[in-house]
């Protein structure tokens, strides 16, 4: 902070006495009474470079040392890292923007989808455009069900006639559901570890960091897949990403919560199973919404 001068005796922002160029109460830099253009530019570039540097070092720590950011935040070492919620919003925003961006650049409709085992099943085999028509009595039965009274059987008919488009519409809800379920993961971890780490918020930190890594990993995956024409290679990458995520979550849990590997793996399995059930319920609800909008 060389070359920083103090121009006033009191902070112009909060009126606290100044002992240096920065206010010890509110942190504002004492501004020059005659602002120069160079100062404005320097301020902007300093802010940007500082921010960039922090983002890069935080991302490096997030990727290379699973769980360490959470450990640092819980231990009070915070100023050096981007706050967890901001990191989560930035990484998920990048993830949600990367599909449309790739599409715009490659003129390919690379939809953002999180690869799930069901969609991994038969990647090579194109789902043939099959046209099925509902039997009248089936249509009537569906019309009378409570869900279809909202959705309507024409929508269902359209979905059946366009299985690929409807499948894509549902797939597009996965990342949004995962985004919304982030606090639920924290709740499950709180349930498992509330005696070791009391309070909900520490587990929220963990969940934010875990999801920040997940969205980053899948952003990279989409970027790589955009340049792959080989479907099997793309599939292998998807499986590798999922395995990486499982490994990462386990390693992060180990670093944050401690305990034996046996307990970590056991807890991860229980939390994973509970999450899967909640995820399926959420996805089913999202599918009904997708059908209503289809
Ligand atoms: Zn001040």
């Amino acid at each position: 902070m060389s070359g920083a001068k103090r121009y006033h005796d009191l902070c112009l922002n909060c009126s606290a006495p100044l002992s240096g160029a920065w206010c010890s109460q509110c942190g504002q830099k004492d501004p020059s009474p005659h602002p120069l253009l160079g100062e404005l530019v320097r301020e902007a570039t300093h802010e940007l470079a500082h921010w960039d540097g922090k983002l890069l070092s935080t991302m490096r720590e997030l990727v290379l040392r699973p769980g360490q950011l959470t450990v640092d935040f819980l231990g009070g070492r915070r100023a050096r890292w981007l706050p967890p919620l901001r990191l989560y919003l930035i990484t998920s925003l990048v993830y949600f923007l990367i599909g449309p961006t790739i599409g715009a650049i490659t003129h390919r409709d690379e939809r953002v989808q999180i690869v799930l085992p069901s969609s991994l099943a038969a990647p090579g085999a194109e789902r043939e455009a099959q046209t099925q028509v509902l039997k009248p009595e089936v249509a009537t039965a569906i019309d009378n069900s409570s869900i279809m009274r909202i959705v309507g059987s024409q929508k269902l008919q359209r979905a059946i006639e366009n299985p690929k488009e409807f499948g894509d519409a549902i797939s597009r809800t996965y990342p949004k559901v995962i985004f919304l379920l982030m606090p639920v993961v924290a709740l499950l971890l709180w349930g498992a570890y509330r005696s070791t780490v009391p309070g909900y918020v520490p587990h929220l930190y963990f969940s934010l960091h875990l999801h920040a890594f997940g969205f980053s990993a899948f952003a990279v995956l989409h970027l790589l897949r955009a340049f792959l024409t080989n479907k099997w290679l793309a599939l292998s990458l998807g499986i590798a990403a999922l395995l990486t995520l499982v490994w990462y979550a386990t390693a992060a849990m180990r670093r944050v919560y401690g305990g034996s590997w046996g307990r970590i793996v056991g807890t991860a399995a229980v939390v994973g199973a509970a999450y899967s059930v909640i995820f399926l319920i959420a996805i089913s609800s999202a599918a009904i919404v997708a059908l209503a909008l289809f």
Side-chain angles (χ1 to χ4, degrees):
M1 305 294 177
S2 58
K5 267 194 281 182
R6 179 168 72 87
Y7 301 98
H8 306 87
D9 292 329
L10 299 179
C11 172
L12 297 183
N13 187 48
C14 73
S15 303
L18 288 176
S19 57
W22 275 269
C23 174
S24 62
Q25 287 302 310
C26 73
Q28 174 172 292
K29 185 174 181 285
D30 191 26
S32 157
H34 310 288
L36 300 169
L37 185 63
E39 205 169 311
L40 186 144
V41 172
R42 202 162 46 240
E43 232 169 43
T45 50
H46 175 80
E47 285 288 310
L48 282 178
H50 184 64
W51 200 84
D52 274 7
K54 218 180 212 184
L55 177 63
L56 284 179
S57 59
T58 307
M59 283 306 295
R60 197 172 52 218
E61 191 76 357
L62 178 75
V63 171
L64 296 181
R65 301 177 74 198
Q68 187 58 43
L69 286 176
T70 312
V71 169
D72 276 358
F73 263 83
L74 297 182
R77 294 176 295 279
R78 300 181 177 196
R80 64 185 84 175
W81 308 124
L82 229 54
L85 184 60
R86 199 181 307 169
L87 184 66
Y88 177 58
L89 294 176
I90 290 171
T91 50
S92 54
L93 186 70
V94 167
Y95 173 84
F96 283 112
L97 290 179
I98 207 156
T101 309
I102 290 171
I105 293 170
T106 61
H107 303 289
R108 239 169 64 187
D109 193 20
E110 173 78 11
R111 304 278 187 168
V112 173
Q113 290 171 17
I114 281 190
V115 190
L116 290 178
S118 59
S119 60
L120 293 177
E126 308 281 11
R127 259 178 290 180
E128 64 265 29
Q130 35 181 231
T131 304
Q132 294 174 6
V133 180
L134 288 179
K135 285 181 190 154
E137 61 268 28
V138 176
T140 314
I142 290 170
D143 264 346
N144 290 334
S145 73
S146 54
I147 289 168
M148 285 311 144
R149 238 171 277 160
I150 305 166
V151 173
S153 64
Q154 291 100 327
K155 294 279 177 77
L156 186 68
Q157 185 66 52
R158 269 188 65 197
I160 290 169
E161 284 168 6
N162 306 283
K164 173 130 179 47
E165 285 71 18
F166 183 60
D168 287 348
I170 291 178
S171 300
R172 280 196 296 279
T173 66
Y174 291 172
K176 291 164 199 159
V177 169
I178 289 170
F179 182 85
L180 292 174
L181 286 184
M182 185 280 298
V184 173
V185 174
L187 198 64
L188 293 171
L189 286 166
W190 171 81
Y193 283 110
R194 63 191 183 282
S195 55
T196 321
V197 181
Y200 173 68
V201 174
H203 307 284
L204 196 57
Y205 281 142
F206 183 92
S207 189
L208 283 166
H209 285 138
L210 183 63
H211 281 77
F213 176 81
F215 277 114
S216 311
F218 276 95
V220 172
L221 177 70
H222 283 301
L223 210 55
L224 291 176
R225 281 159 61 108
F227 302 102
L228 288 178
T229 42
N230 185 312
K231 288 207 165 188
W232 287 106
L233 208 54
L235 171 71
S236 314
L237 264 181
I239 293 173
L242 280 179
L243 290 178
T244 304
L245 213 54
V246 170
W247 165 81
Y248 184 94
T250 318
M253 281 174 72
R254 165 92 171 144
R255 200 190 292 265
V256 173
Y257 298 114
S260 67
W261 276 111
R263 183 171 176 212
I264 293 288
V265 171
T267 311
V270 171
V271 167
Y275 179 74
S276 302
V277 172
I278 296 169
F279 182 75
L280 281 177
I281 294 170
I283 283 296
S284 311
S285 321
I288 293 169
V289 175
L291 187 60
L293 298 173
F294 194 64

